[in-house]
Structures are given as C-alpha cells and as structure tokens.
Amino acid sequence: MKHKTFFWFFLPTASAMLLFIALPIFSIVIQSLFTPHDAVIIVTENCDPFGCKQETTIDQEATRDLRKSEPLGKFVGLEIYKDRGHLAVNEVKEIWIESNNFTEFKKNIGNLPFYRAMAFTLTFTFTVTPLMLVFGFIIALAVNSLHHNLKGLTIFFSLLPMIVSPLIGSLVLFWMIDSRGIIGEALQYVFEDPDLSLKASTGLTWVMLIVYGVWHAAPFSFVVFYAGLQTLPMDTIESAKIDGASRLQQVWYVVIPHLMPLITFVALMQLMDNFRVFEPIVGFSAEAHAQSLSWFIFNDLGGETRLLSSAATSSVLTIIGVSILLFPVLIRTWRDFNEKSAK
Amino acid sequence: MINRSLKLPISLKVSISIFIVFWLIIAAFPFIWTLWGSFKIEADFFSKADWMNALFAPRTIAEKGGAFTGDGYYGAWVQENFWQAVINTTLVCFFVVGTSLTIGTLGGYALSRSSYKYTFWLLITALIFRAMPPITLVAGYLLPFYEWNLWGHLATTVIVLVAINQPFTLWMLHSFFQKIPKELDESAKVDGCTQFQAFRHVIIPVMWPGVITTGLFSFLLAYNDFAITSMLLSQNNQTMVPKIASFMGTTQTEGNVMFAVAAVVSTTAPLFIMVMFFQRQIVSGLTAGAVKG
C-alpha cells in the first residue's frame, strides 16, 4: 500500500487516539507539575483608639480571576510528587530513621495513603493473576472432558461473571455477602459468630476483593485455555500414554507445555488489567479497608472539589507502574514480529 | 476427544462432574439469586431473621399481598428515572460501536495491507495505549472539557470511548484482515480499482464475521464502562452503570436498596441475551488475540 493511501485510511483512527489518548497523557504530566493558585489575600490594617490590628481577608474576586486566567495554576515542579498524599519523601525518610527494623518500617509505611494503595494494588495483581490462571485451567480441563452437548451450556454460564460490568458483578456479590445476605448469614452460621461481617476487617475485605477478582477473571483464562486444548496434539498424548505416563504426568509434560504461549499471554494481559482494579472497591464499598491506585485517582476527581493536580500526579505514577508491567509484553511482541519477518 | 473421555475412570468422572457443578453454581447462582430477590421487598431479600425469607417472602406477602412485587422496578424505572439512563446507554452504545467500527476497519485494513516497518510501530503504540487505565486519562480531559463547555454531554463521552476503544479494535481487526488473502484486493487493483474501491467492493462483503466480533467487544466496553462515564457525564446524561452507582449513594439511606437491585437486574438482562446469541463470536474474539500472539 502506498504511503499516501495508508495515511488517509489511518488518519481517522490515528487522530482519535492522538487527541484522546496521547494528548491527555501529555496533559496529565504537565498538570502534575502545577498546583491551583493560592487564594489572593489582602491584609488591611484597622486602627481604633486602642491600637492597630492587622486583618487578613480573601479577595474572592481576584482569586477567581487569577484561577480563571491561568487554569493550570502555578508551577511547583515535583512538589506534588513529594507531598504526603503521594510519594511522601520526607515522611518516608523520617520513618526510615525512626524504625528499628524492617517490619516496623513496613508497618509505618502502610499508614501513608499512597503506599497503602500501592500495597493493595500489588497484592491484588499478584494474587488474582496466578489464581485465575490455575482456576481457569482446571475449569478448561474439566469442561473439555464433558459430553459434547453439555459444553455449550457450561460455556454460556461460565462467561457471565466476565461479561457483566465489574461494578455490577461486585454489587451482586456484595449483596450476597452482606451480613443480612445469603452468604453472609451462612458464614455467620458456619463460624458461629452472629456479628461476623466481612466488611468490618481489613484482611477479610482484601480476601473478598481477591475472590471477586478471580471470579471475574477466571472465565477469560478458561475460554482461552479451552480453545488451546482443542488443538492438543493427540499423537503426543498417545505416545505419552504408551510410555506409561499417568494422567497427571500427561497434563504436566504435554498439555501445559502445549498451552504455554497462551498461559504467558493471559498472564501478561491480566497483570495489566488487574493493576487497574477499581470498580470492585466502589461496588463493595471497601474504600475504608482497601484502596487501589485507580481508586485513588477516582477519589481525587470525584466530589465537590476536583483535585486535578493530585489526580494527575497519581495518574502519572500509575502509568509508570503499568509501563513496568507492560515491558515484557512489548518484548514479546517485538520478538514475535521479528520471527515472523525472518520467515 | 470422545473416546478419550470414555476411558476416564469413574472416580475421575465423578470428581469432574462435581467440580463443574460447583463452578456453575459459583458462576451463575449470584445472578439467579439477584433476579429472584429483585421481586421481593428489602426486609425479605436482606433478612436479618432467616435467609429462607428471601425464598418464601413472608414479609412481601404480608405487605404486598403476593410473593412477588415489582416495586423495586417501579421505584428504579419511574421514581428514579432509570429509563433515562437506559436511553442514554442505548445512544452511547450505538454511536460508539458505529464510529469505532467505521474508523477501526479503515485503520485495521490499512495496517494489514501495508508492508512497511511503521505499521509495526503503530501497532506497538496501540498496544501501549491499550495498557493505559482509562481513569488515568480523565484528569487530562476535565480541564479542556470545562474550559470549552464540552463536559457532561453524551457526544463527548462517545468520542472519548471510541478513542479508548481504538487500540483494541485495531489489533483485533488487523488480525482478522490478515486472514483475508491479499490476492483478493490485489487482483481488484489489477482490474483498475483504487485501493478504496478494492476495500469497498471486495473486502467489505467478506469482512463481516470479524467486524461483528469486534463490534461485540466495543459494545461491551461502552456498556460496561464506569470510569469514564461516571466522570464525564452530567447527572441527566448518566448511563446505566454510573446511575446504579449513584443509587448506592442516595437510596441506601432511604432503605431503598431494592431500586439498585432492580436496576442491576435490568442492566444485566440484555447482556444475558447477547451472550445467548453471540456466544460463539465472543469466544472466538477472546481467543483470536491469544492464539495469534
């Protein structure tokens, strides 16, 4: 295809992505370096027979004008990155000096909001991803051995947790695990504790969110692995059987190596997707116990005062996190492409 | 496959069946339970006394005269204007799918037919964009949208969703177009067609399976989105998912959590029907990226 033709074909999609993805990324980097102007303060001196008093008032009009004429605010460099709500450089230094050992350091760091959100996001990402891979793989193996007629129906029901919006999925589960809901009451009965509430403890909230994450993501790995199982080399399986491999050995030495490219694909995709976890926290109203980086941004943006600079800073930090996770994907794509063009 | 499954020992067969039943319950029961509960009053669906109340609904019978009540639906759709959100979602989904397929097919087709190195870099860029969590972009949208009074409108949200959708659409359509033999449009060009005519008359008629699958995923993205729609739409223009989230804020205090339950069921029902009809396409779409990569 000629360059010119390519250009015209590609122009609409390219401009959409440039204007609404590339430009906003650029914009948040800039925004994160600015903070809204402080209010303009006028100092007036009131003198009466008993002496003079200085009075400070906010000049509302001047403040509004200033903020309107320079909506970006004033340049502060990396200050917002270093403040208590983000990387909290000074606080971390203090904690480092004051803490006697690493456990104490870790515990104190956990009190800083950004690091707390980071801790949850990473825990969620790195527990949900392996669990959903294993769970999806087992479902795929089980469904694959089913009778043909049952497969379609099983796949239909299996798709449901993945296809609904995360917010709705988490609400549906949330109502069930409510202390007055069916699962919540069952748990109270099992543990013989009528006051048991999953919402009240940080640990249980995390478990609840992780269980939700696996429930939501397992169908994806199931479907991909199931498709992979359809191309299983039967003759290799046969010869493994003749060599006396047990069923477990067949799975371990034949099936898993065959699915390996798919497993890497799903794992890499899921690492990136789980890193952006956020709707379940809203759905489960779990913000008191678990906050993620995305929720952090959401929280800054919502409400009466939209803290754009703070949100932009968190966004930049989140994007840096995603980029680290993205790196292996890029290397893989690069390798694939070179292999293909070498052929 | 069939003779292999016949050879399974009976113990393994039983444990597989138990596992499948277990998984199906986990996957489907929450939805069935919520559907059932949406026709009860709150005192039954969230019963402190006995969970069986949700099944036999003694309070609903006592208060409403029957075991089923449509009060939740009435409250959500009429009192809380959920119908407005349904219309908004329909509009958003329709225009997002339409626009994103139109510009996506053009772009994806061009990527699959050009052999220059820059196509690779464009695809890599799209992959990077695909990885960006949408919520991180919102801070970048708000300032200009406020300045130019674009905030709150459905049209703005549609365009943003289309753009966010493009990377995925491009990748998917690119891989579908690569499966269509190049000789098809090459021969049309030999016969004197321009590239666009070749696309219009030769490729469009055969591209529909790929386009339908991609369209389904665009639809899902627009339908399920919460991050963008909750941030960029004004109260009146809210789509269903952010509307449900706003129910949680207002109705829990009024004891009308059933409105939200009914709204959730109303939102999930169309998805059920969609999966029923397009299961094959969804599965092929999910695997397309994987098997290729």
Side-chain angles (χ1 to χ4, degrees):
Chain A
M1 195 185 263
K2 284 197 201 91
H3 293 305
K4 206 179 142 194
T5 336
F6 181 86
F7 174 79
W8 287 113
F9 267 94
F10 203 70
L11 182 67
T13 174
S15 39
M17 288 194 292
L18 266 180
L19 278 176
F20 293 99
I21 304 179
L23 212 58
I25 293 178
F26 180 70
S27 166
I28 57 165
V29 175
I30 301 293
Q31 275 175 284
S32 69
L33 304 174
F34 287 82
T35 191
H37 286 287
D38 299 323
V40 180
I41 288 171
I42 333 167
V43 183
T44 44
E45 214 172 31
N46 283 340
C47 288
D48 50 28
F50 305 104
C52 287
K53 251 196 269 173
Q54 281 200 338
E55 224 169 61
T56 51
T57 45
I58 294 174
D59 187 342
Q60 299 287 1
E61 207 169 306
T63 311
R64 204 170 44 236
D65 284 349
L66 182 62
R67 287 191 179 160
K68 205 171 165 78
S69 64
E70 292 172 34
L72 256 183
K74 59 175 182 199
F75 182 79
V76 287
L78 292 176
E79 279 312 305
I80 310 177
Y81 288 89
K82 295 188 206 155
D83 72 6
R84 195 181 183 280
H86 298 94
L87 293 178
V89 179
N90 293 329
E91 284 82 354
V92 172
K93 258 186 221 153
E94 258 171 51
I95 292 171
W96 179 249
I97 293 164
E98 283 167 18
S99 309
N100 300 317
N101 51 40
F102 192 66
T103 350
E104 203 182 312
F105 176 70
K106 228 167 69 180
K107 197 177 134 232
N108 288 332
I109 285 281
N111 291 331
L112 297 167
F114 184 80
Y115 291 97
R116 201 167 50 209
M118 190 72 149
F120 173 74
T121 312
L122 289 177
T123 316
F124 185 87
T125 311
F126 287 99
T127 44
V128 168
T129 310
L131 285 176
M132 66 78 82
L133 286 174
V134 173
F135 205 57
F137 181 67
I138 298 174
I139 304 171
L141 280 183
V143 171
N144 198 36
S145 66
L146 278 183
H147 187 266
H148 182 73
N149 293 341
L150 285 172
K151 282 179 180 169
L153 197 70
T154 327
I155 295 175
F156 169 73
F157 283 112
S158 306
L159 284 176
L160 296 178
M162 180 189 64
I163 228 86
V164 297
S165 164
L167 185 83
I168 288 179
S170 48
L171 275 176
V172 164
L173 292 193
F174 178 65
W175 289 326
M176 291 175 77
I177 57 117
D178 188 274
S179 57
R180 299 165 299 157
I182 178 166
I183 298 179
E185 280 185 31
L187 290 176
Q188 287 168 0
Y189 179 77
V190 170
F191 292 103
E192 293 178 342
D193 177 4
D195 298 319
L196 181 75
S197 166
L198 290 177
K199 289 180 265 178
S201 110
T202 303
L204 289 176
T205 308
W206 284 34
V207 171
M208 182 172 81
L209 287 167
I210 288 168
V211 168
Y212 163 78
V214 176
W215 180 75
H216 175 69
F220 174 53
S221 61
F222 153 60
V223 169
V224 173
F225 295 158
Y226 177 75
L229 286 178
Q230 307 312 308
T231 60
L232 209 59
M234 284 322 280
D235 41 347
T236 323
I237 293 266
E238 290 302 328
S239 42
K241 258 189 221 163
I242 294 166
D243 291 345
S246 71
R247 224 166 269 282
L248 208 63
Q249 282 170 328
Q250 288 168 31
V251 169
W252 189 254
Y253 291 107
V254 182
V255 178
I256 292 191
H258 175 71
L259 293 182
M260 213 50 206
L262 298 183
I263 296 175
T264 348
F265 164 80
V266 175
L268 293 176
M269 280 314 191
Q270 278 298 311
L271 283 178
M272 291 194 300
D273 284 353
N274 288 329
F275 193 75
R276 54 171 85 166
V277 53
F278 132 74
E279 282 110 327
I281 296 178
V282 180
F284 281 104
S285 316
E287 53 270 14
H289 298 289
Q291 297 160 350
S292 70
L293 294 176
S294 295
W295 184 85
F296 219 57
I297 303 170
F298 178 76
N299 192 41
D300 275 346
L301 290 173
E304 294 287 293
T305 51
R306 298 193 179 239
L307 305 168
L308 287 188
S309 304
S310 170
T313 312
S314 311
S315 300
V316 173
L317 292 169
T318 310
I319 286 181
I320 293 173
V322 170
S323 313
I324 295 169
L325 292 175
L326 179 68
F327 213 68
V329 185
L330 292 182
I331 293 175
R332 212 173 97 93
T333 319
W334 170 254
R335 221 181 38 211
D336 279 358
F337 182 80
N338 282 340
E339 270 169 23
K340 241 180 241 166
S341 43
K343 267 177 205 165
Chain B
M1 262 328 116
I2 288 168
N3 33 19
R4 189 172 155 235
S5 58
L6 284 179
K7 278 186 219 152
L8 287 180
I10 201 81
S11 61
L12 196 62
K13 241 180 177 171
V14 170
S15 44
I16 284 177
S17 312
I18 292 175
F19 179 78
I20 290 283
V21 171
F22 168 74
W23 163 244
L24 285 182
I25 290 175
I26 296 178
F29 178 69
F31 297 106
I32 298 167
W33 180 252
T34 312
L35 171 67
W36 174 265
S38 69
F39 292 101
K40 311 290 174 206
I41 63 168
E42 192 185 342
D44 278 330
F45 189 46
F46 294 98
S47 170
K48 189 69 208 160
D50 185 1
W51 68 270
M52 296 279 274
N53 282 355
L55 283 183
F56 301 111
R59 301 276 201 88
T60 314
I61 293 171
E63 272 184 42
K64 306 288 173 192
F68 297 94
T69 166
D71 275 14
Y73 291 90
Y74 182 82
W77 281 71
V78 180
Q79 261 169 268
E80 298 279 339
N81 291 331
F82 192 67
W83 60 270
Q84 183 71 54
V86 175
I87 294 176
N88 291 337
T89 302
T90 317
L91 287 173
V92 167
C93 288
F94 178 78
F95 286 108
V96 167
V97 174
T99 323
S100 108
L101 285 182
T102 313
I103 65 176
T105 37
L106 289 174
Y109 171 71
L111 284 177
S112 72
R113 289 300 185 263
S114 175
S115 48
Y116 293 104
K117 185 90 177 172
Y118 55 73
T119 55
F120 168 72
W121 290 109
L122 288 171
L123 280 170
I124 284 280
T125 318
L127 191 65
I128 295 171
F129 286 166
R130 148 84 175 74
M132 297 297 133
I135 188 96
T136 57
L137 304 174
V138 173
Y141 297 139
L142 288 178
L143 214 51
F145 285 4
Y146 283 144
E147 288 290 302
W148 298 326
N149 281 327
L150 293 171
W151 186 85
H153 303 292
L154 285 177
T156 319
T157 308
V158 167
I159 294 174
V160 169
L161 286 176
V162 166
I164 286 181
N165 214 355
Q166 275 312 294
F168 175 77
T169 313
L170 275 182
W171 265 91
M172 200 129 165
L173 285 171
H174 164 76
S175 65
F176 274 115
F177 279 127
Q178 276 198 323
K179 281 188 215 137
I180 300 177
K182 281 184 185 160
E183 289 73 30
L184 265 183
D185 33 336
E186 289 302 327
S187 58
K189 273 159 76 181
V190 170
D191 290 346
C193 283
T194 63
Q195 186 82 45
F196 187 77
Q197 282 170 327
F199 174 71
R200 169 76 191 77
H201 297 289
V202 181
I203 299 299
I204 287 187
V206 295
M207 71 176 184
W208 291 109
V211 170
I212 288 173
T213 307
T214 317
L216 280 171
F217 283 89
S218 303
F219 171 82
L220 280 177
L221 176 124
Y223 193 86
N224 285 341
D225 181 84
F226 175 65
I228 299 289
T229 47
S230 68
M231 282 293 152
L232 293 188
L233 287 173
S234 60
Q235 197 85 39
N236 293 332
N237 283 336
Q238 268 176 347
T239 51
M240 297 201 285
V241 176
K243 183 84 177 174
I244 291 171
S246 73
F247 277 178
M248 300 312 297
T250 54
T251 52
Q252 238 168 6
T253 44
E254 298 167 19
N256 270 332
V257 78
M258 295 317 289
F259 291 4
V261 177
V264 159
V265 173
S266 315
T267 313
T268 321
L271 289 179
F272 266 61
I273 296 165
M274 200 192 82
V275 180
M276 233 180 257
F277 281 101
F278 294 106
Q279 183 174 332
R280 189 181 297 271
Q281 282 82 355
I282 294 174
V283 170
S284 80
L286 286 174
T287 49
V291 179
K292 187 196 76 52

